Amino acid sequence: MKGLADNPSYIIELLEGGVTLENVIDGHICEQALVEKSAFVVGDLGALMRKHVCWQSVVPRLQPYYPVKCNRSPAVIEVLASLGLGFVCANKTEVSLVLEQGVPPESIILSGVCKQLALIKYAAKNNVQHLVCENEAELSKISRLHPSAKLLLQLTTEAHAAETSMAFGFSLKSCRHLLEAAKDLGVQVVGVTFHIPSSCQDLQQAYTHALSDARCVFDMGADLGFNMNILDIGGGFTGLEFQLQQAAPRCLLPPMSGVQVLAQPGRFYVASAFSLAVSVIGKKVETRHWDRLTQGVNHEDTEFLYYMNEGVYGPFSHKLLGKSIAVPSVHKHALCAEEGVFPSSLWGPTLDQLDQVVERCLLPELSVGDWLCFSNMGVCGLEEFSCLSNTPQLPVYYTVSTCDWYEMQEAGVTLDSAMKNFSLVEYSA
Ligand SMILES: *Cc1c(COP(=O)(O)O)cnc(C)c1O
């Protein structure tokens, strides 16, 4: 196992009792204010553990496999690996990152419905056996390059197809054909996987449909002599315990008994663990006049436009994918009672029409140099920050409170490779 210690790529700040995440952000803002005022990210590794505790207390029999695409920062992978999670990888970089953490290849699922030949060979060479598959072309590639693979068939769900606006996964209609093809090629099929995105309106109905479809595939598989025993119900869990309680346990009910049920919670684990601090670098006031002829009133509407040092071509790239970004908190802004809030919009630095991060929202009046703090920023792939942004990679500061750290050690998290990178931090609040 290659440790990060030889190549320390991250440092963890261990926070003494009483030091909060806000103190850490304050500290780095002061630091940044003295230098180039670069935006930065703060990651709370203790939050990952707390999510895991929540997961285990609500759905203890549902094995979590973390989709690396959600956030592949090495600290996240290391913590989740030592908490015993499995991993879902979509490419060679992700597989090797996870293997380097000492995760056994049995705990890795290679996802993606259209894999490069080199990736399939790489999986075979490294003993990664569980591969997702949804069509015959893929099946014949796998039978040629990785004959001992164990396939999870990707079943389509309406909700997933609606979100990606693409035919995704195989339908129940084509199922027998696909199973027969696998049989002819001598490839093992061991289970079914589906994904219901959290954007889905009627979760209960979506899970009911997907489960009954999965049941059919299991029966057909058994007919053909396959020993199918893995059901993967995908991700889409928001961070809410309530939603987890609603969606997941249904899948552990008797029709699927004897089957190992697993899920792919991505956002659930990482979203709340990361916050992003950006500074305001520009400000404009726009006044629009509306002539409401019918009412004969002249209405004036003022909006503040603020420009930040990062935008959609950086850490807010998920905005381009249609996700909305929650209104940030204003750093250290002591709102006095009389102070008003004003219609405001937040923009990235490019002056590009697409670079609007937050549409019209209500904020107190800001000044250039103020800092804004966006929470729940864990799911944009910190690695991707660097290639999309024309600025160098944002600094990421990892923290864990001593209290969480003791609990993590009890839970078996050792962070061996990171131990040498610990620094004890005391901030004066
Ligand atoms: C992105 C993705 C996930 C993770 O989704 P979350 O909403 O982050 O839990 C799981 N499975 C598949 C197939 C995905 O594409």
Side-chain angles (χ1 to χ4, degrees):
M1 183 175 31
K2 199 181 110 208
L4 289 168
D6 344 319
N7 174 22
S9 58
Y10 65 97
I11 292 177
I12 301 172
E13 299 174 332
L14 194 55
L15 309 182
E16 281 282 39
V19 180
T20 64
L21 215 55
E22 283 70 40
N23 301 146
V24 176
I25 294 173
D26 286 354
H28 289 299
I29 284 178
C30 290
E31 232 172 77
Q32 289 297 334
L34 299 174
V35 284
E36 68 254 51
K37 298 188 167 58
S38 151
F40 63 89
V41 177
V42 173
D44 175 10
L45 297 180
L48 299 174
M49 180 219 38
R50 278 180 263 121
K51 283 294 180 181
H52 188 60
V53 169
C54 169
W55 182 275
Q56 286 193 309
S57 72
V58 182
V59 280
R61 287 185 300 139
L62 190 55
Q63 266 171 275
Y65 276 64
Y66 171 71
V68 178
K69 72 150 200 233
C70 287
N71 180 327
R72 56 179 158 117
S73 57
V76 168
I77 304 296
E78 186 163 9
V79 171
L80 296 182
S82 56
L83 287 169
L85 271 77
F87 291 87
V88 183
C89 302
N91 56 45
K92 193 175 159 184
T93 315
E94 293 181 4
V95 176
S96 67
L97 191 64
V98 169
L99 287 172
E100 273 171 26
Q101 292 299 332
V103 172
E106 306 85 84
S107 303
I108 297 176
I109 294 172
L110 190 61
S111 69
V113 291
C114 182
K115 296 181 250 328
Q116 286 196 35
L117 300 182
L119 178 59
I120 300 174
K121 284 189 206 162
Y122 182 75
K125 188 168 146 236
N126 287 284
N127 267 322
V128 174
Q129 305 275 18
H130 290 108
L131 272 64
V132 170
C133 178
E134 61 129 43
N135 63 59
E136 263 189 274
E138 198 70 5
L139 192 61
S140 72
K141 278 174 4 193
I142 295 172
S143 75
R144 218 158 21 95
L145 300 169
H146 195 346
S148 65
K150 298 174 177 170
L151 301 188
L152 296 172
L153 299 186
Q154 175 89 49
L155 183 62
T156 188
T157 62
E158 264 168 49
H160 197 180
E163 193 189 68
T164 55
S165 61
M166 264 169 75
F168 196 91
F170 71 97
S171 64
L172 209 49
K173 257 190 261 159
S174 57
C175 172
R176 178 168 286 274
H177 189 66
L178 193 60
L179 283 165
E180 280 168 353
K183 178 120 192 128
D184 290 345
L185 291 166
V187 185
Q188 279 188 78
V189 177
V190 297
V192 171
T193 174
F194 61 79
H195 176 59
I196 294 170
S198 55
S199 58
C200 172
Q201 295 299 315
D202 189 346
L203 282 176
Q204 187 167 340
Q205 195 199 346
Y207 278 102
T208 308
H209 273 182
L211 286 171
S212 93
D213 286 0
R215 181 70 267 171
C216 289
V217 182
F218 273 73
D219 292 341
M220 260 184 244
D223 268 359
L224 290 168
F226 288 116
N227 178 20
M228 292 176 67
N229 54 14
I230 298 177
L231 173 67
D232 170 7
I233 64 167
F237 310 100
T238 59
L240 301 175
E241 201 172 317
F242 171 73
Q243 194 238 2
L244 189 59
Q245 270 159 346
Q246 289 297 301
R250 207 177 296 283
C251 308
L252 300 165
L253 294 176
M256 285 297 174
S257 60
V259 168
Q260 180 192 0
V261 188
L262 44 103
Q264 303 185 359
R267 184 164 8 148
F268 179 85
Y269 273 90
V270 290
S272 65
F274 289 83
S275 304
L276 169 73
V278 301
S279 71
V280 176
I281 57 171
K283 173 179 179 178
K284 267 198 316 210
V285 189
E286 250 178 26
T287 307
R288 265 172 271 161
H289 298 277
W290 310 92
D291 279 325
R292 298 218 185 126
L293 292 174
T294 45
Q295 291 157 15
V297 271
N298 199 338
H299 186 75
E300 207 177 77
D301 184 21
T302 304
E303 178 178 337
F304 286 105
L305 276 61
Y306 297 109
Y307 296 88
M308 311 180 290
N309 53 354
E310 289 293 341
V312 300
Y313 301 107
F316 296 107
S317 59
H318 48 309
K319 179 77 199 314
L320 291 176
L321 302 173
K323 305 274 191 282
S324 68
I325 290 169
V327 179
S329 58
V330 182
H331 174 74
K332 281 223 165 146
H333 202 94
L335 265 183
C336 17
E338 317 87 74
E339 189 177 27
V341 286
F342 305 91
S344 311
S345 59
L346 301 173
W347 295 77
T350 60
L351 301 183
D352 174 325
Q353 277 305 308
L354 283 177
D355 203 3
Q356 188 179 38
V357 176
V358 179
E359 279 114 44
R360 212 175 162 85
C361 61
L362 290 174
L363 287 174
E365 188 176 352
L366 306 176
S367 313
V368 169
D370 279 349
W371 285 79
L372 297 168
C373 189
F374 292 83
S375 50
N376 275 312
M377 291 292 289
V379 187
C380 26
L382 302 179
E383 296 287 316
E384 268 78 337
F385 284 2
S386 54
C387 50
L388 280 166
S389 167
N390 43 13
T391 51
Q393 190 162 5
L394 296 180
V396 183
Y397 303 105
Y398 294 100
T399 64
V400 58
S401 69
T402 35
C403 169
D404 282 344
W405 176 235
Y406 291 135
E407 221 176 295
M408 285 163 86
Q409 281 174 304
E410 267 168 39
V413 178
T414 53
L415 289 179
D416 286 335
S417 51
M419 271 310 275
K420 296 198 182 91
N421 297 336
F422 264 131
S423 68
L424 195 62
V425 186
E426 292 165 67
Y427 287 98
S428 44

